[in-house]
Amino acid sequence: MGNLIPLILLACVAQVLNSQTQLKPRTITLLRGDTARLICSTAEPWQVMVWILNSGSVLTISAQYGILSNNPNVNAINCSTSQLSIWEFTLNRVQRSHQGQVTCDLQNIQRLTADLFVQERGNVAITGGNVTVLKGEEILFRCLAVGWYPEPSLTWLVNGREVDQGQYNISTERPVDADGLYNLTSNLSVQAAESSHVECLASVSALPTPEASSVRLTVVAEVGVENVCDDCAVLIAVTASVSAVLLLLLLSICIVLCYRRRRRAKSSLPEAIRIDESKSGRSAVAEATGGEVNLGYTTEGHSDAGRSDLIVTGETHSQMNSISAHKIPDVVSSSNFSLTNSQSNASTAHCGDGSKTVRRITTV
């Protein structure tokens, strides 16, 4: 009975000490490259605090002098109050090799240990990319999750809804590299009923959100044959209308051009005839006389009675049947030219102003 009382007192003291000395958190899970933070606090007076990582000392703190060791990968911050001595331990850029136990050793007082887990985030991808199929076809999607630790959880989503596990399978490749990473393959079979958004998700507990890969499943029949035909009909109608308008416009332009060309041809025809007649007349006279064409020559008949005097004498009744006067072009050589008239009783030649006038009189 006397020995039992001291044991009870020791148990009570130990319980009080445990309540006054704490290490938080007792379990920590991080991704590789993150920073681990643990807090060791006590109300008891202490002299030396040692932080141990997997049985190896990484940091020593003196209550009197502060941090004694120098390790660039670890650090400690004094957050003590008037009632508690509090130190925050930080382990930077955690690696897979750091996974294990982290211990806060208050020498000659108490040792407290926490568990550290380091996970690895890998990659996830749906092979093949976006897919377009006909309605009713069955399509197979394959998802690869590579470089994970520990083995990740893998799920499929179709249009945001989780697919039942009975609709896909998962095969796991055992770790083959030095880091012991996991590679997973999953196949999902889908009946193409409507266009959908397909996602493959892979995750470990340390990830705040899963890694995702997504593709688009397009079902051609969903667009609707009727709508396609309607669109085609509208497009054909518009094309035909535009073509008809353009054709009418082209025909109108052609008609206007032909009409204008005909009018120009008709208006230029009399002038061309007059030019041709003038040229032909001048050429004929020039050929007959062997001389140059007199530009003052005209073929229109007129009477020169006013310009020349005409005397008709005779004992019997006389009647002038015809009086004609012609302007004859100049003769190049007068010596080679002769004018004879067997029917004329009298002929008179008169020179003046570069032209000759011949009067012919017939009496009865």
Side-chain angles (χ1 to χ4, degrees), residues 72-159:
N73 200 41
V74 296
N75 194 15
I77 301 175
N78 188 0
C79 303
S80 299
T81 65
S82 58
Q83 297 178 355
L84 292 175
S85 177
I86 304 172
W87 284 84
E88 182 183 35
F89 171 79
T90 58
L91 175 62
N92 302 317
R93 296 181 299 275
V94 296
Q95 302 298 320
R96 290 282 309 285
S97 59
H98 296 156
Q99 180 170 289
Q101 291 184 333
V102 180
T103 301
C104 175
D105 183 10
L106 292 171
Q107 292 186 354
N108 300 325
I109 299 178
Q110 193 175 3
R111 290 169 62 101
L112 299 174
T113 300
D115 294 323
L116 173 64
F117 297 96
V118 180
Q119 298 181 347
E120 188 82 21
R121 173 173 52 190
N123 300 316
V124 61
I126 299 177
T127 61
N130 297 330
V131 180
T132 301
V133 296
L134 295 175
K135 186 175 182 179
E137 289 187 6
E138 189 169 347
I139 185 67
L140 182 67
F141 294 98
R142 173 168 292 182
C143 179
L144 299 179
V146 180
W148 294 83
Y149 183 86
E151 181 177 344
S153 61
L154 194 146
T155 56
W156 288 89
L157 298 179
V158 175
N159 290 333

Coordinates of all heavy atoms in Angstrom, one line a residue, residues 72-159:
P72 N 21.6 24.8 -43.8 CA 20.8 25.7 -44.7 C 19.4 25.1 -45.0 O 18.5 25.8 -45.4 CB 21.7 25.8 -45.9 CG 22.6 24.6 -45.9 CD 22.8 24.3 -44.5
N73 N 19.3 23.8 -44.8 CA 18.0 23.2 -45.2 C 17.0 23.2 -44.1 O 15.8 22.9 -44.3 CB 18.2 21.7 -45.7 CG 17.1 21.2 -46.5 OD1 16.5 21.9 -47.3 ND2 16.7 20.0 -46.3
V74 N 17.4 23.5 -42.9 CA 16.5 23.5 -41.7 C 16.7 24.8 -41.0 O 17.7 25.5 -41.1 CB 16.8 22.3 -40.7 CG1 16.5 21.0 -41.4 CG2 18.2 22.4 -40.2
N75 N 15.6 25.2 -40.2 CA 15.7 26.5 -39.5 C 14.7 26.4 -38.3 O 13.8 25.5 -38.3 CB 15.3 27.6 -40.4 CG 15.6 29.0 -39.8 OD1 16.4 29.1 -38.8 ND2 15.1 30.0 -40.4
A76 N 14.8 27.3 -37.4 CA 13.9 27.3 -36.3 C 13.6 28.8 -35.9 O 14.5 29.7 -36.0 CB 14.4 26.6 -35.1
I77 N 12.4 29.1 -35.5 CA 11.9 30.4 -35.1 C 11.4 30.4 -33.7 O 10.6 29.5 -33.3 CB 10.9 30.9 -36.1 CG1 11.4 31.0 -37.5 CG2 10.4 32.3 -35.7 CD1 10.3 31.4 -38.5
N78 N 11.9 31.3 -32.9 CA 11.4 31.4 -31.5 C 10.1 32.2 -31.4 O 10.1 33.3 -31.7 CB 12.5 32.1 -30.6 CG 12.2 32.0 -29.1 OD1 11.2 31.4 -28.7 ND2 13.1 32.6 -28.3
C79 N 9.1 31.5 -31.0 CA 7.7 32.1 -30.8 C 7.3 32.0 -29.4 O 6.0 31.9 -29.1 CB 6.7 31.3 -31.7 SG 7.2 31.3 -33.5
S80 N 8.2 32.1 -28.4 CA 7.9 31.8 -27.0 C 7.0 33.0 -26.4 O 7.1 34.1 -26.9 CB 9.2 31.7 -26.2 OG 9.9 30.6 -26.7
T81 N 6.3 32.7 -25.4 CA 5.5 33.7 -24.6 C 6.0 33.7 -23.2 O 6.9 32.9 -22.8 CB 4.0 33.3 -24.7 OG1 3.8 32.1 -24.0 CG2 3.5 33.3 -26.1
S82 N 5.4 34.5 -22.4 CA 5.8 34.5 -21.0 C 5.5 33.2 -20.2 O 6.1 32.9 -19.2 CB 5.1 35.7 -20.3 OG 3.7 35.6 -20.4
Q83 N 4.5 32.4 -20.7 CA 4.1 31.2 -20.0 C 4.7 29.9 -20.7 O 4.9 28.9 -20.0 CB 2.6 31.1 -19.9 CG 2.0 32.2 -19.1 CD 0.5 32.2 -19.1 OE1 -0.1 31.3 -19.8 NE2 -0.1 33.0 -18.3
L84 N 4.9 30.0 -22.0 CA 5.3 28.8 -22.8 C 6.6 29.1 -23.6 O 6.8 30.3 -24.1 CB 4.2 28.3 -23.7 CG 3.0 27.7 -23.1 CD1 1.9 27.4 -24.2 CD2 3.3 26.5 -22.3
S85 N 7.4 28.1 -23.7 CA 8.6 28.2 -24.6 C 8.2 27.5 -25.9 O 7.9 26.2 -25.9 CB 9.8 27.5 -24.0 OG 10.9 27.5 -24.8
I86 N 8.1 28.2 -27.0 CA 7.6 27.7 -28.3 C 8.6 27.9 -29.4 O 9.1 29.0 -29.6 CB 6.3 28.4 -28.7 CG1 5.2 28.2 -27.6 CG2 5.7 27.8 -30.0 CD1 4.0 29.0 -27.8
W87 N 9.0 26.8 -30.1 CA 9.9 26.9 -31.2 C 9.2 26.2 -32.4 O 8.7 25.1 -32.3 CB 11.2 26.2 -30.9 CG 12.1 27.1 -30.0 CD1 12.0 27.1 -28.6 CD2 13.1 27.9 -30.4 NE1 13.0 28.0 -28.1 CE2 13.7 28.5 -29.2 CE3 13.7 28.3 -31.6 CZ2 14.7 29.5 -29.3 CZ3 14.7 29.2 -31.7 CH2 15.2 29.8 -30.5
E88 N 9.3 27.0 -33.6 CA 8.8 26.4 -34.8 C 9.9 25.9 -35.7 O 10.8 26.6 -36.1 CB 8.0 27.4 -35.6 CG 7.4 26.9 -36.9 CD 6.6 27.9 -37.7 OE1 7.1 29.1 -37.7 OE2 5.6 27.6 -38.3
F89 N 9.9 24.6 -36.0 CA 10.9 24.0 -36.8 C 10.5 23.9 -38.3 O 9.3 23.5 -38.5 CB 11.2 22.6 -36.2 CG 12.1 21.7 -37.1 CD1 13.5 21.9 -37.1 CD2 11.6 20.7 -37.9 CE1 14.3 21.1 -37.9 CE2 12.4 19.9 -38.7 CZ 13.8 20.1 -38.7
T90 N 11.3 24.3 -39.2 CA 11.0 24.2 -40.6 C 12.0 23.4 -41.4 O 13.3 23.6 -41.2 CB 10.9 25.6 -41.3 OG1 12.2 26.3 -41.1 CG2 9.9 26.5 -40.6
L91 N 11.5 22.5 -42.2 CA 12.4 21.7 -43.1 C 12.0 22.1 -44.5 O 10.9 21.8 -45.0 CB 12.1 20.2 -42.8 CG 12.8 19.2 -43.8 CD1 14.4 19.4 -43.6 CD2 12.4 17.8 -43.4
N92 N 13.0 22.7 -45.2 CA 12.7 23.3 -46.6 C 12.9 22.2 -47.6 O 13.8 21.3 -47.5 CB 13.7 24.4 -46.9 CG 13.5 25.6 -45.8 OD1 12.4 25.9 -45.5 ND2 14.6 26.1 -45.3
R93 N 12.1 22.3 -48.7 CA 12.3 21.5 -49.9 C 12.4 20.0 -49.5 O 13.4 19.3 -49.7 CB 13.5 21.9 -50.7 CG 13.3 23.3 -51.3 CD 14.5 23.7 -52.2 NE 15.7 23.7 -51.4 CZ 16.2 24.7 -50.7 NH1 15.4 25.8 -50.6 NH2 17.3 24.6 -50.0
V94 N 11.3 19.5 -48.9 CA 11.4 18.1 -48.5 C 11.5 17.1 -49.7 O 11.0 17.4 -50.8 CB 10.1 17.7 -47.7 CG1 10.0 18.6 -46.4 CG2 8.8 17.9 -48.6
Q95 N 12.2 16.1 -49.5 CA 12.5 15.0 -50.5 C 11.9 13.7 -50.0 O 11.6 13.5 -48.8 CB 14.0 15.0 -50.8 CG 14.6 16.3 -51.3 CD 14.0 16.8 -52.6 OE1 13.7 16.0 -53.5 NE2 13.8 18.1 -52.7
R96 N 11.9 12.8 -51.0 CA 11.4 11.4 -50.6 C 12.3 10.8 -49.5 O 11.8 10.0 -48.7 CB 11.4 10.6 -51.8 CG 10.3 10.9 -52.9 CD 9.0 10.4 -52.5 NE 9.0 9.0 -52.2 CZ 9.2 8.0 -53.0 NH1 9.2 8.3 -54.3 NH2 9.2 6.7 -52.6
S97 N 13.5 11.2 -49.5 CA 14.5 10.6 -48.5 C 14.2 11.1 -47.1 O 14.6 10.6 -46.1 CB 15.9 10.9 -48.8 OG 16.1 12.3 -48.9
H98 N 13.4 12.3 -47.0 CA 13.1 12.8 -45.7 C 11.9 12.1 -45.0 O 11.6 12.4 -43.8 CB 12.8 14.3 -45.8 CG 14.0 15.1 -46.2 ND1 13.8 16.4 -46.9 CD2 15.3 14.9 -46.1 CE1 15.0 16.9 -47.1 NE2 15.9 16.0 -46.7
Q99 N 11.2 11.3 -45.8 CA 10.0 10.7 -45.2 C 10.4 9.8 -44.0 O 11.4 9.0 -44.1 CB 9.3 9.8 -46.3 CG 8.1 9.1 -45.8 CD 7.3 8.5 -46.9 OE1 6.7 9.3 -47.7 NE2 7.3 7.2 -47.0
G100 N 9.7 9.9 -42.9 CA 10.0 9.1 -41.7 C 9.5 9.9 -40.5 O 8.4 10.4 -40.5
Q101 N 10.3 9.9 -39.5 CA 9.9 10.5 -38.2 C 10.7 11.7 -37.9 O 12.0 11.8 -38.1 CB 10.1 9.5 -37.1 CG 9.2 8.3 -37.1 CD 9.3 7.4 -35.9 OE1 10.4 7.3 -35.3 NE2 8.3 6.7 -35.5
V102 N 10.0 12.7 -37.4 CA 10.7 14.0 -36.9 C 10.4 14.1 -35.4 O 9.3 14.0 -34.9 CB 10.1 15.2 -37.7 CG1 10.7 16.5 -37.2 CG2 10.2 15.1 -39.2
T103 N 11.6 14.2 -34.7 CA 11.5 14.2 -33.2 C 12.0 15.5 -32.6 O 13.0 16.0 -33.0 CB 12.4 13.0 -32.7 OG1 11.9 11.8 -33.2 CG2 12.3 12.9 -31.1
C104 N 11.2 16.0 -31.6 CA 11.6 17.1 -30.8 C 12.1 16.5 -29.4 O 11.2 16.0 -28.6 CB 10.5 18.1 -30.6 SG 10.8 19.4 -29.5
D105 N 13.4 16.6 -29.1 CA 13.9 16.0 -27.9 C 14.3 17.1 -26.9 O 15.3 17.9 -27.2 CB 15.1 15.2 -28.3 CG 15.7 14.5 -27.1 OD1 15.1 14.5 -26.0 OD2 16.8 13.9 -27.2
L106 N 13.5 17.3 -25.9 CA 13.8 18.2 -24.8 C 14.6 17.3 -23.8 O 14.1 16.5 -23.0 CB 12.5 18.7 -24.1 CG 11.7 19.7 -25.0 CD1 10.4 20.0 -24.3 CD2 12.5 21.0 -25.3
Q107 N 15.9 17.5 -23.9 CA 16.8 16.6 -23.1 C 16.5 16.7 -21.6 O 16.4 17.8 -21.1 CB 18.3 17.0 -23.4 CG 18.7 16.6 -24.8 CD 20.1 16.8 -25.1 OE1 20.9 17.3 -24.3 NE2 20.6 16.4 -26.3
N108 N 16.5 15.5 -21.0 CA 16.2 15.3 -19.6 C 14.8 15.7 -19.3 O 14.5 15.8 -18.1 CB 17.2 16.1 -18.7 CG 18.6 15.7 -18.9 OD1 18.9 14.5 -19.2 ND2 19.5 16.7 -18.9
I109 N 13.9 15.9 -20.3 CA 12.5 16.2 -20.0 C 11.6 15.2 -20.7 O 10.9 14.4 -20.1 CB 12.2 17.7 -20.3 CG1 13.0 18.6 -19.5 CG2 10.7 17.9 -20.1 CD1 12.8 20.1 -19.8
Q110 N 11.6 15.3 -22.1 CA 10.7 14.5 -22.8 C 11.0 14.5 -24.3 O 11.7 15.5 -24.8 CB 9.2 15.0 -22.7 CG 8.2 14.1 -23.2 CD 6.7 14.6 -22.9 OE1 6.6 15.7 -22.3 NE2 5.8 13.8 -23.2
R111 N 10.7 13.4 -25.1 CA 10.9 13.3 -26.5 C 9.5 13.1 -27.1 O 8.7 12.2 -26.8 CB 11.8 12.1 -26.8 CG 13.2 12.3 -26.4 CD 14.0 10.9 -26.5 NE 14.0 10.4 -27.9 CZ 15.0 10.5 -28.8 NH1 16.1 11.1 -28.4 NH2 14.9 10.0 -30.0
L112 N 9.2 13.9 -28.1 CA 8.0 13.8 -28.9 C 8.3 13.6 -30.3 O 9.2 14.3 -30.9 CB 7.1 15.1 -28.7 CG 6.7 15.4 -27.2 CD1 6.1 16.8 -27.2 CD2 5.8 14.4 -26.7
T113 N 7.5 12.7 -31.0 CA 7.8 12.3 -32.4 C 6.6 12.5 -33.3 O 5.4 12.2 -32.8 CB 8.3 10.8 -32.5 OG1 9.4 10.7 -31.7 CG2 8.5 10.4 -33.9
A114 N 6.8 13.0 -34.5 CA 5.7 13.2 -35.5 C 6.1 12.4 -36.8 O 7.3 12.1 -37.1 CB 5.6 14.6 -35.9
D115 N 5.1 12.0 -37.6 CA 5.3 11.2 -38.8 C 5.3 12.1 -40.0 O 4.3 12.9 -40.2 CB 4.3 10.1 -38.9 CG 4.4 9.0 -37.8 OD1 5.6 8.7 -37.5 OD2 3.4 8.6 -37.3
L116 N 6.3 12.0 -40.9 CA 6.4 12.8 -42.1 C 6.2 11.9 -43.3 O 7.0 11.0 -43.4 CB 7.7 13.6 -42.1 CG 8.0 14.4 -43.4 CD1 7.0 15.5 -43.6 CD2 9.4 14.9 -43.4
F117 N 5.3 12.3 -44.2 CA 5.1 11.5 -45.4 C 5.3 12.5 -46.6 O 4.7 13.6 -46.6 CB 3.7 10.9 -45.5 CG 3.4 9.9 -44.4 CD1 2.7 10.3 -43.2 CD2 3.8 8.6 -44.6 CE1 2.5 9.3 -42.3 CE2 3.5 7.6 -43.6 CZ 2.9 8.0 -42.4
V118 N 6.1 12.0 -47.5 CA 6.4 12.8 -48.7 C 5.8 12.1 -50.0 O 6.2 11.0 -50.2 CB 7.9 13.1 -48.9 CG1 8.2 13.9 -50.1 CG2 8.4 13.8 -47.6
Q119 N 5.0 12.8 -50.7 CA 4.3 12.2 -51.9 C 4.9 12.9 -53.2 O 5.5 14.0 -53.1 CB 2.8 12.4 -51.8 CG 2.2 11.7 -50.6 CD 0.7 11.8 -50.6 OE1 0.1 12.6 -51.3 NE2 0.0 11.0 -49.7
E120 N 4.6 12.2 -54.3 CA 5.1 12.7 -55.6 C 4.0 12.9 -56.5 O 3.1 12.0 -56.7 CB 6.1 11.6 -56.2 CG 6.8 12.1 -57.4 CD 8.0 12.9 -57.1 OE1 8.5 12.8 -56.0 OE2 8.5 13.7 -58.0
R121 N 3.9 14.1 -57.1 CA 2.9 14.4 -58.1 C 3.4 14.1 -59.5 O 4.4 14.6 -59.9 CB 2.5 15.9 -58.0 CG 1.5 16.3 -59.1 CD 1.0 17.7 -58.9 NE 2.1 18.6 -58.7 CZ 1.9 19.9 -58.3 NH1 0.7 20.3 -58.0 NH2 2.9 20.7 -58.1
G122 N 2.6 13.2 -60.2 CA 3.0 12.8 -61.6 C 2.2 13.6 -62.6 O 1.7 14.7 -62.4
N123 N 2.1 13.0 -63.8 CA 1.4 13.6 -64.9 C 0.2 12.6 -65.3 O 0.3 11.4 -65.1 CB 2.3 13.7 -66.1 CG 3.4 14.7 -65.8 OD1 3.3 15.7 -65.2 ND2 4.6 14.3 -66.2
V124 N -0.8 13.2 -65.9 CA -2.0 12.5 -66.4 C -2.3 13.0 -67.7 O -2.3 14.2 -68.0 CB -3.1 12.6 -65.4 CG1 -3.6 14.0 -65.2 CG2 -4.3 11.7 -65.8
A125 N -2.7 12.1 -68.7 CA -3.1 12.5 -70.0 C -4.0 11.4 -70.6 O -3.7 10.2 -70.5 CB -1.8 12.7 -70.9
I126 N -5.0 11.9 -71.4 CA -5.8 11.0 -72.2 C -5.2 11.0 -73.6 O -5.0 12.0 -74.2 CB -7.3 11.5 -72.3 CG1 -7.9 11.6 -70.9 CG2 -8.1 10.7 -73.2 CD1 -9.3 12.1 -70.8
T127 N -4.9 9.8 -74.1 CA -4.2 9.6 -75.3 C -5.2 9.8 -76.5 O -6.4 9.5 -76.3 CB -3.5 8.3 -75.5 OG1 -4.5 7.2 -75.3 CG2 -2.5 8.1 -74.4
G128 N -4.7 10.3 -77.6 CA -5.6 10.3 -78.8 C -6.3 11.7 -79.0 O -6.7 12.0 -80.2
G129 N -6.4 12.5 -78.0 CA -7.0 13.8 -78.2 C -8.5 13.8 -78.5 O -9.2 12.8 -78.1
N130 N -9.1 14.8 -79.0 CA -10.5 14.9 -79.3 C -10.9 13.9 -80.3 O -10.2 13.5 -81.2 CB -10.9 16.3 -79.7 CG -10.6 17.4 -78.7 OD1 -10.6 17.1 -77.5 ND2 -10.3 18.6 -79.1
V131 N -12.2 13.5 -80.2 CA -12.7 12.4 -81.0 C -14.1 12.8 -81.6 O -14.9 13.4 -80.9 CB -12.9 11.1 -80.2 CG1 -13.4 10.0 -81.1 CG2 -11.5 10.7 -79.6
T132 N -14.3 12.5 -82.9 CA -15.6 12.7 -83.5 C -16.1 11.4 -84.1 O -15.4 10.7 -84.9 CB -15.4 13.7 -84.7 OG1 -14.9 15.0 -84.2 CG2 -16.8 14.0 -85.4
V133 N -17.3 11.0 -83.7 CA -17.8 9.7 -84.1 C -19.3 9.9 -84.5 O -19.9 10.9 -84.2 CB -17.7 8.6 -83.0 CG1 -16.2 8.4 -82.6 CG2 -18.4 9.1 -81.7
L134 N -19.8 8.8 -85.1 CA -21.2 8.8 -85.4 C -22.0 8.3 -84.2 O -21.5 7.6 -83.3 CB -21.5 7.9 -86.6 CG -20.9 8.3 -87.9 CD1 -21.1 7.2 -89.0 CD2 -21.5 9.6 -88.4
K135 N -23.3 8.7 -84.1 CA -24.1 8.3 -83.0 C -24.3 6.8 -83.0 O -24.5 6.2 -84.0 CB -25.5 9.0 -83.1 CG -26.4 8.8 -81.9 CD -27.6 9.6 -82.0 CE -28.5 9.4 -80.8 NZ -29.8 10.2 -80.9
G136 N -24.1 6.2 -81.8 CA -24.3 4.8 -81.6 C -23.0 4.1 -81.6 O -22.9 2.9 -81.2
E137 N -21.9 4.7 -82.0 CA -20.6 4.0 -82.0 C -20.0 3.9 -80.6 O -20.4 4.7 -79.7 CB -19.6 4.7 -82.9 CG -19.9 4.6 -84.4 CD -18.8 5.2 -85.2 OE1 -17.7 5.6 -84.6 OE2 -18.9 5.3 -86.5
E138 N -19.2 2.9 -80.4 CA -18.6 2.7 -79.1 C -17.1 3.2 -79.2 O -16.4 2.7 -80.1 CB -18.6 1.3 -78.7 CG -18.2 1.0 -77.2 CD -18.5 -0.4 -76.7 OE1 -19.3 -1.1 -77.4 OE2 -18.0 -0.8 -75.7
I139 N -16.7 4.1 -78.3 CA -15.4 4.6 -78.4 C -14.6 4.3 -77.1 O -15.2 4.2 -76.0 CB -15.5 6.2 -78.5 CG1 -14.1 6.8 -78.7 CG2 -16.2 6.8 -77.4 CD1 -13.4 6.4 -80.0
L140 N -13.4 4.0 -77.2 CA -12.5 3.6 -76.1 C -11.5 4.7 -75.8 O -10.8 5.2 -76.7 CB -11.8 2.3 -76.4 CG -10.9 1.8 -75.3 CD1 -11.7 1.3 -74.1 CD2 -10.0 0.6 -75.8
F141 N -11.6 5.3 -74.6 CA -10.6 6.3 -74.1 C -9.6 5.6 -73.2 O -9.9 4.8 -72.4 CB -11.3 7.4 -73.3 CG -12.3 8.2 -74.2 CD1 -13.6 7.9 -74.2 CD2 -11.8 9.2 -75.0 CE1 -14.5 8.7 -74.9 CE2 -12.6 10.0 -75.7 CZ -14.0 9.7 -75.7
R142 N -8.3 6.1 -73.4 CA -7.2 5.5 -72.5 C -6.6 6.7 -71.8 O -6.2 7.7 -72.4 CB -6.2 4.8 -73.4 CG -5.0 4.4 -72.6 CD -4.1 3.4 -73.5 NE -4.9 2.1 -73.6 CZ -4.4 1.1 -74.2 NH1 -3.2 1.1 -74.8 NH2 -5.1 -0.1 -74.3
C143 N -6.4 6.5 -70.5 CA -5.7 7.5 -69.6 C -4.5 6.9 -69.0 O -4.4 5.8 -68.5 CB -6.7 8.0 -68.5 SG -6.0 9.2 -67.4
L144 N -3.4 7.7 -69.1 CA -2.1 7.3 -68.5 C -1.7 8.3 -67.4 O -1.7 9.5 -67.6 CB -1.0 7.4 -69.6 CG -1.2 6.5 -70.8 CD1 0.0 6.7 -71.8 CD2 -1.2 5.0 -70.4
A145 N -1.4 7.7 -66.2 CA -1.0 8.4 -65.1 C 0.4 8.0 -64.8 O 0.6 6.8 -64.4 CB -1.9 8.2 -63.9
V146 N 1.4 8.8 -64.9 CA 2.8 8.4 -64.9 C 3.6 9.2 -63.8 O 3.4 10.5 -63.7 CB 3.5 8.6 -66.3 CG1 5.0 8.2 -66.3 CG2 2.7 7.9 -67.4
G147 N 4.4 8.5 -63.0 CA 5.3 9.2 -62.1 C 4.7 9.6 -60.8 O 5.0 10.7 -60.3
W148 N 3.9 8.8 -60.2 CA 3.2 9.1 -59.0 C 3.8 8.3 -57.8 O 4.2 7.2 -57.9 CB 1.7 8.8 -59.1 CG 1.0 9.7 -60.1 CD1 1.0 9.5 -61.4 CD2 0.3 10.9 -59.8 NE1 0.2 10.6 -62.0 CE2 -0.2 11.4 -61.0 CE3 0.0 11.6 -58.6 CZ2 -1.0 12.6 -61.1 CZ3 -0.8 12.8 -58.7 CH2 -1.2 13.2 -60.0
Y149 N 3.7 8.9 -56.6 CA 4.0 8.2 -55.4 C 3.1 8.8 -54.2 O 3.2 10.0 -54.1 CB 5.4 8.2 -55.0 CG 5.7 7.4 -53.7 CD1 5.9 6.0 -53.8 CD2 5.7 8.0 -52.5 CE1 6.1 5.3 -52.7 CE2 5.9 7.3 -51.3 CZ 6.1 5.9 -51.4 OH 6.3 5.1 -50.3
P150 N 2.5 8.0 -53.5 CA 2.2 6.6 -53.7 C 1.3 6.3 -54.9 O 1.0 7.3 -55.7 CB 1.6 6.1 -52.4 CG 0.8 7.4 -51.9 CD 1.7 8.5 -52.3
E151 N 0.7 5.2 -55.0 CA -0.2 4.9 -56.1 C -1.4 5.8 -56.1 O -2.1 5.9 -55.1 CB -0.6 3.4 -56.0 CG -1.6 3.0 -57.2 CD -1.9 1.6 -57.1 OE1 -1.3 0.8 -56.4 OE2 -2.9 1.2 -57.8
P152 N -1.6 6.5 -57.1 CA -2.7 7.5 -57.1 C -4.1 6.9 -57.2 O -4.2 5.8 -57.7 CB -2.4 8.5 -58.3 CG -1.7 7.5 -59.2 CD -0.9 6.5 -58.4
S153 N -5.1 7.7 -56.9 CA -6.5 7.3 -57.1 C -6.8 7.9 -58.5 O -6.5 9.1 -58.8 CB -7.4 7.8 -56.1 OG -7.4 9.2 -56.0
L154 N -7.5 7.1 -59.3 CA -7.9 7.6 -60.7 C -9.3 7.4 -60.9 O -9.9 6.4 -60.6 CB -7.1 6.7 -61.7 CG -7.0 7.2 -63.1 CD1 -5.7 6.9 -63.8 CD2 -8.1 6.7 -64.0
T155 N -10.0 8.5 -61.4 CA -11.4 8.5 -61.7 C -11.7 9.1 -63.1 O -10.8 9.9 -63.6 CB -12.2 9.2 -60.6 OG1 -11.7 10.6 -60.5 CG2 -12.1 8.6 -59.3
W156 N -12.8 8.8 -63.6 CA -13.3 9.4 -64.9 C -14.5 10.2 -64.7 O -15.4 9.9 -63.8 CB -13.7 8.3 -65.9 CG -12.5 7.5 -66.5 CD1 -11.9 6.4 -65.9 CD2 -11.8 7.8 -67.7 NE1 -10.8 6.0 -66.7 CE2 -10.7 6.9 -67.8 CE3 -11.9 8.9 -68.6 CZ2 -9.8 6.9 -68.9 CZ3 -11.0 8.9 -69.7 CH2 -10.0 7.9 -69.8
L157 N -14.6 11.3 -65.4 CA -15.8 12.2 -65.4 C -16.3 12.4 -66.8 O -15.5 12.6 -67.7 CB -15.5 13.5 -64.8 CG -15.1 13.6 -63.3 CD1 -14.8 15.0 -62.9 CD2 -16.1 12.9 -62.4
V158 N -17.6 12.3 -67.0 CA -18.3 12.6 -68.3 C -19.3 13.6 -68.1 O -20.3 13.4 -67.3 CB -18.9 11.3 -68.9 CG1 -19.6 11.7 -70.2 CG2 -17.9 10.2 -69.2
N159 N -19.1 14.8 -68.7 CA -19.9 16.0 -68.5 C -20.1 16.3 -67.0 O -21.1 16.7 -66.5 CB -21.3 15.8 -69.1 CG -21.3 15.7 -70.6 OD1 -20.4 16.4 -71.2 ND2 -22.2 15.0 -71.2

